[in-house]
Amino acid sequence: MRKSFYHYMMKHRNYKIPTDIGILADHLFNDHSFPKQSSSYDEISSYLELDGTFLQSMSVFDEAWNLYEEDQ
């Protein structure tokens, strides 16, 4: 079974040297409304685009998504 994007991203949290993907992972962890069970690119990208607290470029999400897809 495919793990959710959120579950995948949790391995990128809390590194001593922050990366853009790590910052995204921390943001997802702290966002209690994030669709944690989703593995749908469209659902997650739409959520982040409409999320007023997501301040990073969507290119960071796209990079993280590509890594997620490669890991599946």
Side-chain angles (χ1 to χ4, degrees), residues 24 41 45 57-67:
L24 171 60
Y41 176 87
S45 67
S57 166
M58 286 302 289
S59 65
V60 174
F61 166 69
D62 288 335
E63 181 183 348
W65 185 267
N66 287 335
L67 293 172

Side-chain angles (χ1 to χ4, degrees), residues 2 16-17 21 24 26 33 37 44-45 47 59-60 65:
R2 184 177 187 177
K16 292 181 182 183
I17 300 172
I21 291 177
L24 171 60
D26 288 335
S33 298
Q37 301 303 317
I44 296 169
S45 67
Y47 177 85
S59 65
V60 174
W65 185 267

Side-chain angles (χ1 to χ4, degrees), residues 23-24 27 48 51-58 60:
I23 293 168
L24 171 60
H27 173 79
L48 292 174
D51 178 21
T53 63
F54 182 65
L55 302 177
Q56 290 178 286
S57 166
M58 286 302 289
V60 174

